[in-house]
Amino acid sequence: MSRHLLDISGCQTSELEGLIERASALAAGASCACRQGTVANLFFEPSTRTRVSFEMAARRVGLQVVNIDQSGSSTSKGESLADTGRTLSAMGVAAIVLRHAENHAPAQLAAALEGTPTRVVNAGDGQHAHPSQALLDAVTLHRAGFDDWSRMRIAIVGDIRHSRVARSDVALFERLGVAEIRLAGPDAFLPDTGEMPAARRFCDIDQALDGVDAVICLRIQRERIESTGYPDGDSFQRQWGLTEARAAKLAPHARILHPGPVNRDVEISASLVDSPQSLILEQVRAGIHARTAVFEWLIDAAG
Ligand code: CP
């Protein structure tokens, strides 16, 4: 079977650890050898961080990049995603990086490309998975000095139900052996009972934050919420936001993460985004290295 990066569950733990180690080495200044080929960035949902960092990472390993959005692709004329993928593969594209609103769209694309040398990278599908974000979160924590996962307590707070980042983070942290993964949010934003069984659920943010080493804040993902019954920004901040008062109770070594985009003064106070405890821009930097490691891993396997 061809190698793709579709979700955390599709990778062996040794591969995940290898990607984190390689990305950390790249972040510390390791060089990478040039590969040849072209990457197609197929972004059918908005993105700043993921699209740009995949493009920068591809160039870093010597790959050419073509950027295609939905309105500029022939899917807007009725072509299926599978046929778009086969077309790009016929042109010799080495990898397709896909962001899509539908859960499992990257896996369907990979199935359509079976037997071709073209690799698929999931850059976020619906609320299902965002594996490169999870990898960069782990790289960020590792580089911030958290080098023993078995002693770490990590809280993920906010709209977990609609979050592909939360699903991939929990899956990766579980694989790495994180001691305790906590989920906190209003009932409507917690995953279904039975999903993410390894994580502890909290209905009180202050309890969830007690004694953690890291907190990952998540925005309300309104683009994936059909009902209008979710909290407004003010009441969400009061009950579930990482406020200055809440952050003041964190341990001095605890760090704050957010995958972005941030809604300041909703899920996190504006001042905390720029505080010394925040790793948010470190996550952005780690994203380039994590995605560089992903391209090396994919292209070399295709070799
Ligand atoms: N974290 C993340 O996926 O951000 P973008 O939507 O800007 O890519």
Side-chain angles (χ1 to χ4, degrees), residues 1-13:
M1 209 156 87
S2 306
R3 181 181 282 182
H4 306 282
L5 181 64
L6 302 176
D7 62 18
I8 296 297
S9 65
C11 299
Q12 294 172 14
T13 303

Side-chain angles (χ1 to χ4, degrees), residues 85-100:
R86 288 187 198 103
T87 302
L88 293 169
S89 180
M91 292 180 200
V93 162
I96 298 174
V97 180
L98 177 65
R99 171 164 290 192
H100 203 284

Side-chain angles (χ1 to χ4, degrees), residues 46-51 99 123 130 133 164-165 259-261 291:
S47 168
T48 300
R49 281 148 282 269
T50 313
R51 195 195 65 73
R99 171 164 290 192
H130 196 347
Q133 177 72 46
R164 52 200 178 204
V165 174
R291 287 157 182 146

